[in-house]
């Protein structure tokens, strides 16, 4: 048992180092302007966790067990739908939070008139298609975090600590980009450390929902799709609902960023609670 735990810890450390180093090097030395990140740079930044999954298996002779690469559509279509809805609903409520807090004279009718119903429908349909396309990029992260790191941590520490630890590791993996102003900008107190904390907390809860999807389907793809949906809709829907965002520029970019992710964190809290209950029941069965 002790040797097995040492081997798990070794694999976790190797994986984390391999996931971090390429992303940190690319973020620090190659990307100069986070607002002009190319698709190639995004792919190269987000793919190291997936590569780390494969390399760690080769280095430690782990083999191909628990790859979670089957789609498992049968009986699980609803979880794929949940994955997309998570991104859509969270983004709608994020926009509502921004409107309530910062845009007192808001008119939804004016926003619809600004774009036109046909154009709004076209943009939303295009974004649904983009969720599939950009899943190629988000696979790079989820095949690492959800298909490798979290399950290994879970064996070592249990479900709840695994989600917290993996969330912090995932959050701090973003650190170089946050330090360059990605996600939260630079106009806030305690820059960039406030951004590091906000991202880590967000990743803990968001990671709980992605872990819940993965465990329910025994597949990494719902998490991949969900990650893609969040990345796509968190920018699109608030932009559609708030065409003129000049009023937001007057406020802390960190607070704005937190409000963007707060609905997803709240939704994820229910998934976290479900995982805690499931973990408790499993322990109770084992002790019975």
């Amino acid at each position: 048992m002790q040797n097995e735990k040492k081997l798990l810890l070794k694999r976790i450390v190797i994986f984390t180092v391999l996931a971090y180093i390429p992303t940190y090097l690319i973020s620090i030395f190659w990307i100069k302007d986070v607002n002009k990140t190319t698709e190639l740079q995004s792919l190269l930044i987000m793919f190291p966790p997936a590569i780390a999954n494969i390399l760690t298996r080769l280095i430690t002779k782990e083999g191909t067990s628990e790859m979670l690469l089957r789609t498992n559509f049968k009986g699980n279509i609803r979880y794929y739908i949940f994955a997309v809805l998570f991104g859509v609903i969270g983004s709608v409520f994020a926009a509502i939070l921004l409107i309530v807090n910062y845009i007192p004279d808001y008119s939804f009718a004016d926003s619809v008139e600004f774009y036109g119903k046909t154009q709004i429908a076209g943009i939303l349909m295009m974004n649904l298609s983009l969720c599939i396309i950009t899943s190629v990029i988000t696979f790079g992260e989820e095949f690492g975090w959800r298909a490798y790191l979290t399950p290994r941590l879970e064996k070592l520490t249990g479900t709840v600590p695994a989600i917290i630890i993996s969330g912090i590791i995932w959050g701090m993996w973003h650190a170089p980009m946050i330090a360059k102003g990605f996600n939260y900008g630079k106009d806030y107190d305690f820059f960039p450390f406030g951004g590091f904390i906000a991202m880590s907390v967000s990743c803990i809860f968001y990671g709980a929902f992605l872990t819940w999807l993965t465990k329910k389907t025994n597949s990494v793809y719902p998490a991949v799709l969900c990650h893609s949906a969040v990345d796509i809709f968190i920018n699109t829907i608030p932009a559609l609902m708030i065409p003129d965002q000049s009023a937001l520029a007057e406020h802390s970019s960190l607070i704005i960023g937190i409000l963007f992710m707060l609905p997803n964190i709240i939704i994820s809290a229910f998934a976290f609670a479900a995982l805690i209950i499931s973990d408790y029941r499993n322990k109770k069965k084992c002790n019975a």
Side-chain angles (χ1 to χ4, degrees), residues 109-165:
D110 290 344
S111 298
V112 172
E113 186 178 348
F114 181 88
Y115 286 103
K117 293 180 181 179
T118 302
Q119 187 174 351
I120 290 173
I123 290 171
L124 291 175
M125 290 303 295
M126 181 183 71
N127 277 267
L128 283 172
S129 300
L130 282 174
C131 285
I132 306 297
I133 296 169
T134 58
S135 289
V136 174
I137 296 176
T138 56
F139 175 85
E141 286 196 53
E142 295 308 315
F143 188 54
W145 309 129
R146 247 55 63 187
Y148 192 86
L149 178 62
T150 304
R152 302 313 176 278
L153 280 168
E154 191 172 5
K155 290 179 181 179
L156 189 66
T157 66
T159 302
V160 175
I163 290 170
I164 294 171
I165 295 168

Side-chain angles (χ1 to χ4, degrees), residues 165-204:
I165 295 168
S166 64
I168 293 171
I169 291 172
W170 184 24
M172 291 308 298
W173 176 82
H174 293 84
M177 292 294 283
I178 292 172
K180 289 194 172 188
F182 196 68
N183 295 105
Y184 305 111
K186 296 182 178 181
D187 183 23
Y188 57 87
D189 294 333
F190 308 113
F191 171 82
F193 302 103
F196 296 162
I197 294 169
M199 177 58 76
S200 295
V201 171
S202 176
C203 284
I204 289 170

Side-chain angles (χ1 to χ4, degrees), residues 64-74 76 80 139 143 147 213-214 216-224:
T64 58
S65 63
E66 300 176 0
M67 296 284 279
L68 304 181
L69 287 175
R70 293 182 180 275
T71 55
N72 294 334
F73 284 130
K74 188 175 181 180
N76 291 315
Y80 283 86
F139 175 85
F143 188 54
L213 285 175
T214 304
K216 282 291 183 180
T217 60
N218 199 34
S219 170
V220 72
Y221 296 114
V224 170

Side-chain angles (χ1 to χ4, degrees), residues 206-246:
Y206 182 19
F209 185 80
L210 296 173
T211 298
W212 177 79
L213 285 175
T214 304
K215 290 170 78 69
K216 282 291 183 180
T217 60
N218 199 34
S219 170
V220 72
Y221 296 114
V224 170
L225 184 60
C226 183
H227 194 149
S228 180
V230 169
D231 286 357
I232 293 294
F233 287 108
I234 200 65
N235 293 311
T236 303
I237 290 180
L240 289 174
M241 293 178 67
I242 314 171
D244 181 8
Q245 298 191 4
S246 57

